Amino acid sequence: AWNKYAPKPFESAEEFERETVKHIETTLARSLYNCDELAAYGGTALAFRDRLVIDWNKTQQNQTFADQKRVYYLSLEFLMGRALDNAMLNVGHKETAKQGLSDLGFRVEDIITQEHDAALGNGGLGRLAACFLDSLASLNYPAWGYGLRYRYGIFKQEIIDGYQVEVPDYWLDFNPWEFARHDITVDIQFYGHVNKYQDDEGKMVCSWEGGEIVQAVAFDVPIPGYGTPTTNNLRLWASKAASGEFDFQKFNSGEYESSVADQQRAETISAVLYPNDNLERGKELRLKQQYFWCAASLYDIVRRFKKSKRPWKDFPNQVAIQLNDTHPTLAIPELQRILIDQEGLDWDEAWSIVQKTFGYTNHTVLPEALEKWSVPLIQHLLPRHLQIIYDINLNFLQYVERNNPKDRDLLGRVSIIEESNPKMVRMAYLAVIGSHKVNGVAELHSDLIKTTIFKDFVKIYGPDKFANVTNGITPRRWLHQANPRLSELIASKLGGYGFLKDLTLLHKLEAYVDDKDFRKEFQEIKYANKVRLARHIKEVTGVSVNPSALFDIQVKRIHEYKRQQLNIFGVIHRYLAIKKMSPEEKKKMTPRVSIFGGKAAPGYWMAKTVIHLINEVGRVVNADKDVGDLLKVIFVEDYNVSKAEIICPASDISEHISTAGTEASGTSNMKFVLNGGLIIGTCDGANIEITREIGENNIFLFGNLAEDVDELRHAHLYGNFQLDKELESVFDAIRSGMFGDAGQFSALVNGIVEHGDYYLVSDDFASYCKTHDMIDEAYKDQEEWVTKCITAVARMGFFSSDRCIDEYAEMIWNVEPLQPKADG
Ligand code: 26V
């Protein structure tokens, strides 16, 4: 340990027990005689936390002392899941804890599952941020995450009578993983007006005055790396009424209630995560969240930089800020404001610093997700920022005009301000203009943004400003923690757990693809994981599923572009086919369990209808005696990170079937393959690169290509198409009332039949069903199947988020790892 006071690694189970019991009895003030699993979780977490904190303090001290360039990852979402198992893995001594807990009468798995998920995110974008933090720490990069400390994370989903019901996720009851820094606060200003005046040297300066102040309070979460003592920091801001705000006058005059109301209004800013994934609605509170978090984070970053006493031009050599989507784009005008209004730099000098500092990652091309804020709203909330945005735009448009004097339309197309009524600020354009690099998250996606939403910007800045960094996942959580037996099997063949640090080492598994014992063990592990999932399904839905059946899984946010409707229509098609089969035909069928999971945004009516249809189909199919084990349809409620850890290792086939060109990357596709499942997918997002890596014999691709989507949509609009015949009979079954009142599903059906089938379900239906038939056939040959699975796992090394982070570091951030100091 680094000093004589620091706790040592647990040397024995007794030592672990002693500390855990001490925390239970003193920190938690619980008697050991009524110590339940929750208290045992608390004690265990605190015992491990003690170790974590030592490494954390030491890392921060080391980073401050080294004073090299740091990365700041700004994300409104961090979908962390549980922390204890990860802390045990990274601190070490999980076995010791397991023994100690067993001595106390507990099973370690039961203790780990007591923890509430930290669910501060919607889906892929938030989980990517969490994987990135894990990789940054594991690779020793000096890096901080900055986010919001929502009191309520993504809602908990309950399924009642087949419908989604949202329940608030109050997760902070007991959270040993955060440290309130009541001494680290930033005053954040809103509203007010701008004063322009001459300073002592006769220079025109602006100052933002009046309005109201809300206080940001820092909460820090330690992020341990794997196989290294490096422990980085995730700083989450909570909002609070500023000290001056709690109105003592009112308080003393008896208006206690209204003064408390002011307090509550301030706290509303960080109260709740917006549960929309891919839908921008322009709510004032959301804009407040964004500015609050950007301003607090930048103040903190600038404060740290200023301690170094370096000249401002060094700022981009000390600071790299990555914008996770456009949500933190206000950081761009905010840094410009700090530099010119507060630090007195010239516009050009400041702007050059800003551009060198920021990088922007785009995560979607869906037009409805692109952020736009109305000019009047920004004018009202952030008057000085609006001026700065206008000035940025003016400079930019002048630059564009100088270089493209003949293209008059170009200026209107690329202007940050959309000339609509009301005028809108296009945040993605501001992000592109204010950053030195823009990246997409998979090759196809990065190509698409260059030819669609940012086409004009490629012309203006040249292609080098645009890059690709294909997403990845952390093998620590998504292989070792989620699938410990598979991880152990791999380690036994590869001579240790080195693959968890360098996932490309998995390629050595290919040498074992014909090894009988290895194959057998591999299959047994898959079966055991399916048994575990079957047990969970039985517990929560009451439905028994046969673990020998083919498990076909689609878990992700429910969205039309992800096409869960295509999947459920395919299931209905299968059901109708089974109903017509002779006993002989049935004998030849591959039994299936179709498993769905995912949340719909609360206001997304069509997505909720899809959930309802899945549940209604399940109700009918699962009770049908003619079908038996040949088909079961399951909806797993409240899909989240912890559930994903049970589900991803238990698939035979998983579905990644978005309309080509709509899913930027996808990351669960990577999780499923890494855990020894195959996938059915469209030529979209990272599926394409997965195919390139694992080989096209080891994946089931189907459907139209992205380049053909426009034409197909056009054909639909002009009635120039034929509805797929098989799909027609699926619709007839729905219309007949087979799955309950048909009226409930009419919008879903009509969207395809009458309203243009925007997501091309009909166009892809035949090839989708045909591919599932191929899957049935392939699954019958278990020897060939397991060969495919093992080969695919062996070739997944590319998709580690470690590779991804090294690419960002080299291409975008220009930062180096900082080796942790040896103890002593
Ligand atoms: C947008 C909005 C709009 C305003 C309301 C709240 C909200 C919340 C999140 C978003 C972001 C949507 C973009 C997104 O989640 N993209 C996903 O990013 C993953 C990581 O790169 C990627 O794997 C998925 O394909 C992509 O859909």
Side-chain angles (χ1 to χ4, degrees), residues 77 122 124-125 128 276-280 286 325 327 363 441 471 561 663-666:
E77 305 191 8
N122 275 288
L125 168 136
L128 186 76
N276 296 325
D277 164 271
N278 277 305
L279 180 71
E280 173 48 45
R286 168 87 176 175
D325 218 287
H327 315 153
H363 294 268
V441 291
N471 282 169
Y561 85 82
E663 188 71 276
S665 162

Side-chain angles (χ1 to χ4, degrees), residues 34-199:
N34 65 23
C35 173
D36 55 12
E37 288 177 339
L38 185 60
Y41 157 70
T44 307
L46 290 165
F48 273 90
R49 189 181 84 168
D50 286 346
R51 266 82 192 162
L52 215 59
V53 167
I54 300 300
D55 285 339
W56 189 30
N57 288 337
K58 199 173 153 189
T59 302
Q60 295 314 312
Q61 197 181 315
N62 190 27
Q63 290 180 4
T64 305
F65 188 73
D67 201 24
Q68 65 181 59
K69 188 169 185 178
R70 285 195 181 98
V71 178
Y72 297 101
Y73 197 77
L74 265 58
S75 179
L76 258 193
E77 305 191 8
F78 289 95
L79 200 43
M80 304 295 283
R82 292 182 177 134
L84 177 57
D85 199 20
N86 192 248
M88 286 178 165
L89 173 65
N90 294 336
V91 171
H93 311 290
K94 181 172 173 180
E95 282 306 310
T96 315
K98 188 172 172 180
Q99 182 58 52
L101 283 167
S102 152
D103 294 346
L104 295 170
F106 299 103
R107 289 171 7 143
V108 67
E109 310 87 80
D110 299 335
I111 297 312
I112 286 170
T113 51
Q114 291 303 306
E115 183 175 352
H116 200 110
D117 271 34
L120 307 185
N122 275 288
L125 168 136
R127 183 53 231 178
L128 186 76
C131 284
F132 280 7
L133 292 182
D134 184 79
S135 287
L136 284 161
S138 299
L139 297 169
N140 300 309
Y141 285 104
W144 284 45
Y146 275 107
L148 274 187
R149 180 181 179 269
Y150 303 108
R151 206 153 4 108
Y152 297 92
I154 187 71
F155 61 86
K156 180 173 175 341
Q157 178 192 54
E158 289 182 5
I159 301 295
I160 298 178
D161 297 334
Y163 293 95
Q164 167 174 300
V165 173
E166 300 92 21
V167 179
D169 166 55
Y170 185 78
W171 68 292
L172 288 169
D173 256 353
F174 174 64
N175 178 11
W177 306 108
E178 66 170 14
F179 290 80
R181 307 289 192 199
H182 292 291
D183 52 329
I184 300 179
T185 62
V186 185
D187 283 348
I188 308 297
Q189 187 176 2
F190 291 104
Y191 309 108
H193 57 273
V194 179
N195 261 340
K196 212 172 170 179
Y197 59 92
Q198 275 193 335
D199 70 5

Side-chain angles (χ1 to χ4, degrees), residues 269-337:
I269 292 178
S270 62
V272 52
L273 166 81
Y274 273 85
N276 296 325
D277 164 271
N278 277 305
L279 180 71
E280 173 48 45
R281 285 163 157 286
K283 288 273 196 297
E284 173 169 342
L285 183 60
R286 168 87 176 175
L287 186 62
K288 275 187 145 182
Q289 288 187 333
Q290 294 186 348
Y291 179 66
F292 172 82
W293 149 68
C294 288
S297 306
L298 267 181
Y299 185 92
D300 211 42
I301 293 166
V302 166
R303 171 167 64 188
R304 201 165 298 125
F305 172 78
K306 286 173 82 166
K307 279 196 195 147
S308 76
K309 311 269 186 217
R310 286 187 164 82
W312 280 108
K313 66 168 177 43
D314 281 355
F315 191 80
N317 305 325
Q318 290 294 102
V319 173
I321 302 178
Q322 192 64 25
L323 306 175
N324 198 24
D325 218 287
T326 52
H327 315 153
T329 301
L330 284 170
I332 290 170
E334 174 67 2
L335 181 58
Q336 182 71 3
R337 185 185 73 86

Side-chain angles (χ1 to χ4, degrees), residues 249-462:
Q249 208 99 52
K250 276 188 187 171
F251 185 82
N252 290 332
S253 66
E255 290 178 64
Y256 177 69
E257 280 164 313
S258 83
S259 74
V260 170
D262 290 348
Q263 179 115 4
Q264 277 170 352
R265 205 163 50 85
E267 289 175 11
T268 304
I269 292 178
S270 62
V272 52
L273 166 81
Y274 273 85
N276 296 325
D277 164 271
N278 277 305
L279 180 71
E280 173 48 45
R281 285 163 157 286
K283 288 273 196 297
E284 173 169 342
L285 183 60
R286 168 87 176 175
L287 186 62
K288 275 187 145 182
Q289 288 187 333
Q290 294 186 348
Y291 179 66
F292 172 82
W293 149 68
C294 288
S297 306
L298 267 181
Y299 185 92
D300 211 42
I301 293 166
V302 166
R303 171 167 64 188
R304 201 165 298 125
F305 172 78
K306 286 173 82 166
K307 279 196 195 147
S308 76
K309 311 269 186 217
R310 286 187 164 82
W312 280 108
K313 66 168 177 43
D314 281 355
F315 191 80
N317 305 325
Q318 290 294 102
V319 173
I321 302 178
Q322 192 64 25
L323 306 175
N324 198 24
D325 218 287
T326 52
H327 315 153
T329 301
L330 284 170
I332 290 170
E334 174 67 2
L335 181 58
Q336 182 71 3
R337 185 185 73 86
I338 292 171
L339 295 177
I340 61 178
D341 290 359
Q342 294 179 349
E343 302 296 335
L345 273 67
D346 297 344
W347 178 277
D348 290 345
E349 204 184 344
W351 185 244
S352 141
I353 291 169
V354 168
Q355 279 187 317
K356 287 181 194 142
T357 300
F358 290 103
Y360 155 53
T361 307
N362 172 281
H363 294 268
T364 181
V365 288
L366 298 188
E368 65 270 30
L370 294 180
E371 286 192 295
K372 289 178 190 175
W373 292 105
S374 90
V375 165
L377 177 59
I378 298 187
Q379 165 69 52
H380 181 54
L381 192 68
L382 304 165
R384 179 61 183 136
H385 294 78
L386 186 65
Q387 292 179 340
I388 291 173
I389 291 169
Y390 267 101
D391 287 345
I392 293 170
N393 199 36
L394 183 66
N395 284 315
F396 168 68
L397 293 179
Q398 284 171 348
Y399 166 82
V400 173
E401 190 170 36
R402 271 199 304 279
N403 294 300
N404 306 272
K406 297 209 186 77
D407 195 348
R408 294 298 303 175
D409 292 347
L410 182 63
L411 296 186
R413 287 204 306 273
V414 299
S415 172
I416 297 171
I417 308 297
E418 178 185 275
E419 296 294 328
S420 45
N421 189 10
K423 292 184 182 165
M424 304 294 266
V425 177
R426 297 155 160 165
M427 302 307 270
Y429 291 6
L430 179 55
V432 170
I433 294 164
S435 304
H436 67 283
K437 268 280 197 264
V438 177
N439 77 285
V441 291
E443 276 174 18
L444 173 70
H445 169 66
S446 298
D447 287 343
L448 280 175
I449 61 177
K450 283 198 277 184
T451 52
T452 59
I453 50 178
F454 301 140
K455 188 169 182 236
D456 291 319
F457 293 89
V458 175
K459 193 173 162 200
I460 291 165
Y461 290 115

Side-chain angles (χ1 to χ4, degrees), residues 522-736:
F522 187 92
Q523 279 176 299
E524 274 173 20
I525 292 168
K526 177 60 74 179
Y527 185 78
N529 290 330
K530 288 167 71 179
V531 169
R532 176 168 71 153
L533 177 57
R535 208 182 307 125
H536 175 78
I537 289 171
K538 177 77 188 175
E539 261 167 42
V540 294
T541 67
V543 180
S544 298
V545 300
N546 177 2
S548 299
L550 188 160
F551 278 21
D552 170 348
I553 304 183
Q554 187 176 18
V555 284
K556 47 184 88 231
R557 288 298 290 258
I558 312 292
H559 202 293
E560 285 164 282
Y561 85 82
K562 296 178 189 281
R563 298 201 295 189
Q564 283 90 356
Q565 69 277 38
L566 174 60
N567 187 342
I568 194 64
F569 294 154
V571 169
I572 296 173
H573 175 255
R574 175 171 290 255
Y575 174 63
L576 299 175
I578 293 171
K579 294 290 277 183
K580 286 197 207 134
M581 280 179 188
S582 68
E584 287 71 42
E585 286 173 311
K586 283 186 182 172
K587 279 210 190 86
K588 288 192 214 135
M589 273 289 282
T590 306
R592 280 232 183 191
V593 183
S594 275
I595 299 165
F596 294 80
K599 296 174 186 181
Y604 191 171
W605 192 76
M606 197 65 106
K608 289 183 148 180
T609 303
V610 172
I611 293 177
H612 186 212
L613 179 60
I614 294 167
N615 282 302
E616 288 297 283
V617 171
R619 186 177 56 79
V620 172
V621 171
N622 298 344
D624 192 330
K625 293 275 181 305
D626 295 347
V627 175
D629 263 3
L630 288 185
L631 183 60
K632 287 277 179 279
V633 182
I634 302 294
F635 192 94
V636 180
E637 74 179 1
D638 199 36
Y639 177 62
N640 60 15
V641 171
S642 300
K643 298 248 167 82
E645 290 168 16
I646 301 172
I647 292 170
C648 294
S651 82
D652 295 302
I653 280 285
S654 64
E655 309 230 2
H656 309 276
I657 57 176
S658 49
T659 311
T662 61
E663 188 71 276
S665 162
T667 42
S668 74
N669 41 8
M670 303 167 191
K671 294 166 197 168
F672 281 104
V673 180
L674 185 60
N675 281 284
L678 301 181
I679 66 187
I680 176 169
T682 44
C683 294
D684 201 16
N687 291 353
I688 296 170
E689 287 151 87
I690 292 175
T691 307
R692 188 183 66 203
E693 293 293 310
I694 70 176
E696 56 189 0
N697 291 330
N698 302 314
I699 188 168
F700 297 93
L701 291 180
F702 75 98
N704 284 288
L705 301 180
E707 61 206 43
D708 299 322
V709 163
D710 281 344
E711 203 167 314
L712 288 164
R713 281 182 177 157
H714 196 263
H716 276 277
L717 285 180
Y718 291 90
N720 224 339
F721 78 106
Q722 273 261 290
L723 192 68
D724 182 274
K725 279 279 158 323
E726 303 288 329
L727 186 58
E728 189 84 76
S729 27
V730 167
F731 290 165
D732 286 340
I734 295 173
R735 289 192 195 106
S736 77

